[in-house]
């Protein structure tokens, strides 16, 4: 009888901390042994010449989600998780998105009904809070946090999602009390609306004006405001999908001052610019996301932020909309930038893009790549060390990479349901060739080996990252000394 269910031999294992030559023995879906000369496995995998990395965790993706404008994502939980797995990701954390008037508890139930029978890899959920009623804030949210939904996203823009500063403070106060993490979409709503209105008044409705209306100053201002709101209550926040150099600078400065401010960025801010949105006709709609890709200088600022630790996580913000009336172009040829569904696909290419352009080009070392794409996600969202590392006792979620494999990207080789890719024609070096989730092979030799619904729901714990820094601002300290604990 074999000693292990699976043994992976002769590979180079890299975690966020170390790179080593060792074999991995897996029993019952968990890493049982790291070492050499391991006993036999029922399944033996030879990883000679390959890298063995923790499976990626994509902690920002939109799956089977209806946008506030009523447009449904092109991917359901099957196609999205299959695409994720082919790209080396073994855990996704999409959103259970509340629309105004909805019970948050019911929203979560609906997302489970969608995900549970379809996901092929493991998943957790963040919440999106767009309607912070007394019932939601006083009862549903605290109960959901205790049930393992320990992070939630709030929006400072979009007509039907936007919260004002007072509502943001209410939500931050609940997060602080319960130990949850708040993710912030930071763009100044009124600046965007004002610019968009004027542009449309002048007949400028082409996709390129999306990037003009979502000005970089609008991102910088809102990022600064979010940081100050978080500072007022001494509660950590994560700024998601950061694109502008102005926002990177605000986050970096806040971190330098000792505030617990975290940053996330995405492939579109490294590999796309506003020139892509300016492609002829409506083609640019394929590249419209918020905040938008900007320019070479912004790309450089984002790369620097990945290198110097300003960003902890690199996620896809996969928000897949088809290039037709069901998605990007609700009014066909007459669609203006204001009505283009916002978001780009990227769940499958997130890791290959960063590996090829980051690790292979010498911009990031392998351990930083692992931190940014897996380990830090698990730590931020309370899944570590079950997920996000290769260690005895951790789930056997690994991606075996051929670091030299060259691939030319075309939509046809991808597994999502979008029909195009913003990265068409790019040549990448390095690809995950075998992907394993809890000891199960999910992708091998370019084929899917997992069945619908075989992914498991992961309740998230409370993470260290969400704990207050313990530095109250003088006014709140004074209020507390006066007998009024305001948070
Ligand atoms: O444009 C984007 N990023 N769409 C997805 C929704 C969001 O705000 O993350
Ligand atoms: Zn957002
Ligand atoms: Zn998003």
């Amino acid at each position: 009888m074999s000693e292990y269910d699976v043994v992976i031999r002769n590979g180079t294992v890299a975690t966020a901390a170390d790179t080593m030559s060792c074999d991995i023995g897996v029993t019952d879906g968990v890493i049982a042994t790291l070492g050499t000369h391991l006993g036999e496995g029922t399944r033996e995998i030879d990883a000679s010449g390959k890298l063995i990395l923790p499976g990626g965790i994509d902690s920002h993706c939109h799956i089977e989600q209806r946008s506030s404008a009523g447009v449904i994502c092109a991917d359901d939980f099957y196609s999205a998780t299959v695409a994720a797995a082919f790209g080396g990701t073994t855990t996704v954390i999409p959103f259970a998105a509340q629309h105004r008037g909805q019970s948050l508890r019911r929203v979560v139930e609906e997302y489970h009904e969608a995900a549970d029978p379809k996901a092929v890899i493991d998943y957790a959920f963040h919440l999106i809070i767009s309607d912070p009623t007394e019932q939601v804030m006083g009862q549903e949210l605290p109960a959901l946090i205790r049930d393992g939904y320990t992070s939630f996203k709030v929006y400072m823009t979009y007509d039907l999602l936007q919260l004002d500063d007072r509502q943001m403070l209410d939500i931050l106060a609940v997060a602080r009390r319960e130990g949850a993490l708040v993710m912030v979409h930071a763009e100044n709503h009124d600046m965007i609306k004002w610019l968009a209105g004027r542009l449309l008044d002048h007949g400028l409705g082409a996709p390129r004006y999306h990037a003009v209306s979502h000005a970089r100053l609008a991102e910088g201002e809102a990022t600064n405001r979010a940081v100050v709101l978080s500072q007022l209550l001494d509660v950590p926040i994560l700024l998601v999908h950061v694109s502008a150099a102005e926002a990177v600078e605000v986050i970096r400065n806040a971190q330098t001052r000792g505030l617990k401010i975290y940053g996330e960025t995405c492939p579109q801010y490294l590999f796309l610019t506003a020139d892509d949105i300016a492609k002829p006709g409506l083609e640019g709609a394929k590249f419209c996301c918020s905040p938008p890709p900007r320019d070479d200088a912004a790309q450089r600022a984002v790369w620097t932020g990945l290198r110097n630790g300003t960003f902890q996580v690199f996620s896809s913000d996969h928000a897949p909309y088809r290039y037709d009336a069901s998605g990007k172009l609700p009014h066909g040829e007459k669609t203006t930038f204001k009505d283009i569904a916002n978001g780009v696909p990227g769940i499958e290419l997130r890791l290959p893009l960063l590996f090829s352009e980051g690790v292979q080009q010498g911009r990031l070392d392998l351990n930083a790549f692992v931190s940014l794409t897996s380990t830090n996600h698990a730590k931020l969202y309370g899944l570590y060390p079950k997920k996000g590392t290769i260690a005895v006792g951790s789930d056997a979620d690994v991606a075996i990479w051929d670091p030299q494999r060259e691939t030319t990207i075309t939509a046809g080789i991808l597994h999502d349901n979008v029909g195009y890719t913003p990265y068409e024609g790019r040549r990448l070096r390095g690809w995950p060739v075998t992907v394993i989730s809890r000891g199960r092979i999910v992708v091998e030799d370019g084929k899917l080996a997992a069945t619908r619904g075989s992914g498991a729901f992961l309740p998230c714990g409370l993470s260290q990252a969400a704990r207050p820094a313990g530095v109250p601002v003088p006014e709140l300290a004074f209020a507390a000394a006066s007998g009024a604990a305001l948070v």
Side-chain angles (χ1 to χ4, degrees):
M1 190 160 135
S2 305
E3 195 171 336
Y4 300 101
D5 297 334
V6 182
V7 175
I8 309 169
R9 296 187 197 277
N10 309 318
T12 300
V13 174
T15 66
D18 301 299
T19 305
M20 59 216 152
S21 295
C22 75
D23 303 336
I24 301 176
V26 177
T27 305
D28 295 334
V30 168
I31 296 174
T33 310
L34 296 173
T36 49
H37 310 294
L38 300 193
E40 205 181 307
T42 307
R43 173 71 207 263
E44 291 273 333
I45 298 175
D46 179 16
S48 303
K50 309 273 195 324
L51 297 172
I52 308 173
L53 309 183
I57 301 176
D58 194 345
S59 61
H60 188 155
C61 46
H62 302 268
I63 304 178
E64 230 170 306
Q65 186 182 322
R66 190 172 291 284
S67 77
S68 57
V71 184
I72 185 85
C73 287
D75 280 312
D76 68 7
F77 277 90
Y78 183 70
S79 59
T81 55
V82 168
F86 271 97
T89 289
T90 52
T91 299
V92 288
I93 316 183
F95 297 89
Q98 181 200 34
H99 294 292
R100 291 191 180 152
Q102 287 185 312
S103 141
L104 207 48
R105 176 62 76 177
R106 181 69 199 122
V107 167
V108 169
E109 284 166 5
E110 284 170 6
Y111 275 87
H112 273 288
E113 283 159 21
D116 298 354
K118 297 187 208 125
V120 304
I121 56 173
D122 294 352
Y123 56 95
F125 285 113
H126 312 289
L127 309 171
I128 285 176
I129 302 172
S130 65
D131 200 4
T133 60
E134 255 176 53
Q135 163 81 7
V136 166
M137 301 294 284
Q139 290 167 38
E140 293 191 313
L141 186 54
L144 283 163
I145 293 168
R146 283 170 211 146
D147 288 348
Y149 308 88
T150 59
S151 46
F152 30 89
K153 182 174 176 189
V154 294
Y155 286 80
M156 298 172 83
T157 188
Y158 289 123
D159 286 334
L160 297 173
L161 295 172
Q162 181 220 6
L163 303 179
D164 62 30
D165 292 353
R166 215 155 81 179
Q167 291 172 313
M168 294 266 294
L169 288 169
D170 284 340
I171 288 180
L172 289 170
V174 172
R176 188 182 200 281
R177 193 183 68 221
E178 303 290 337
L181 184 65
V182 181
M183 310 159 74
V184 182
H185 179 132
E187 289 185 283
N188 180 308
H189 187 60
D190 285 326
M191 285 167 81
I192 294 167
K193 271 197 97 159
W194 190 90
L195 288 164
R198 296 288 161 118
L199 288 162
L200 290 173
D201 286 349
H202 284 80
L204 302 175
R208 68 187 314 158
Y209 296 104
H210 171 75
V212 178
S213 65
H214 285 252
R216 56 201 79 194
L217 285 177
E219 188 184 344
E221 186 285 323
T223 303
N224 186 57
R225 188 154 34 99
V227 166
V228 174
L229 296 175
S230 127
Q231 184 180 10
L232 181 70
L233 302 193
D234 182 24
V235 54
I237 56 168
L238 167 70
L239 278 310
V240 294
H241 49 45
V242 173
S243 90
E246 288 78 355
V248 179
E249 192 184 336
V250 168
I251 295 168
R252 184 75 177 160
N253 285 342
Q255 291 166 344
T256 304
R257 288 184 283 125
L259 301 178
K260 285 179 83 169
I261 301 294
Y262 304 105
E264 174 204 74
T265 194
C266 315
Q268 47 272 36
Y269 307 124
L270 294 178
F271 304 114
L272 304 177
T273 68
D275 288 347
D276 292 297
I277 306 181
K279 290 206 162 122
L282 288 173
E283 183 73 13
K286 294 177 181 171
F287 305 86
C288 279
C289 56
S290 296
R294 307 209 182 257
D295 58 10
D296 292 349
Q299 287 186 349
R300 283 195 296 278
V302 172
W303 273 116
T304 302
L306 285 169
R307 274 201 302 272
N308 69 14
T310 307
F311 295 115
Q312 291 69 42
V313 282
F314 184 75
S315 308
S316 69
D317 193 9
H318 181 72
Y321 296 106
R322 291 186 69 85
Y323 186 61
D324 60 26
S326 73
K328 283 282 179 190
L329 307 173
H331 308 303
E333 292 295 306
K334 292 201 165 61
T335 306
T336 69
F337 72 87
K338 261 326 256 177
D339 296 315
I340 293 170
N342 276 203
V344 293
I347 204 164
E348 188 165 353
L349 292 177
R350 173 182 72 114
L351 300 181
L353 282 164
L354 192 68
F355 187 89
S356 183
E357 298 304 312
V359 179
Q360 295 291 32
Q361 297 295 330
R363 293 177 171 116
L364 292 173
D365 67 37
L366 194 54
N367 311 104
F369 173 83
V370 171
S371 302
L372 287 162
T373 57
S374 180
T375 313
N376 289 348
H377 300 251
K379 288 183 175 173
L380 266 184
Y381 297 114
L383 292 172
Y384 188 82
K386 178 179 171 65
K387 301 291 186 189
T389 191
I390 295 177
V392 172
S394 295
D395 281 358
D397 288 4
V398 300
I400 303 177
W401 286 68
D402 179 345
Q404 303 309 337
R405 178 158 151 188
E406 301 223 350
T407 307
T408 301
I409 301 306
T410 62
I413 67 166
L414 301 177
H415 298 83
D416 60 32
N417 192 29
V418 192
Y420 62 88
T421 168
Y423 309 104
E424 184 76 29
R426 270 184 183 268
R427 198 151 172 77
L428 303 183
R429 188 153 62 94
W431 201 266
V433 288
T434 304
V435 180
I436 299 174
S437 156
R438 280 182 285 110
R440 306 170 300 137
I441 314 263
V442 290
V443 171
E444 189 172 39
D445 296 332
K447 292 194 187 64
L448 183 70
T451 53
R452 275 176 182 266
S454 56
F457 170 64
L458 300 162
C460 293
L462 300 178
S463 83
Q464 290 268 357
R467 292 209 185 138
V471 192
V473 295
E475 291 80 0
L476 265 72
F478 186 77
S482 312
L486 302 187
V487 285

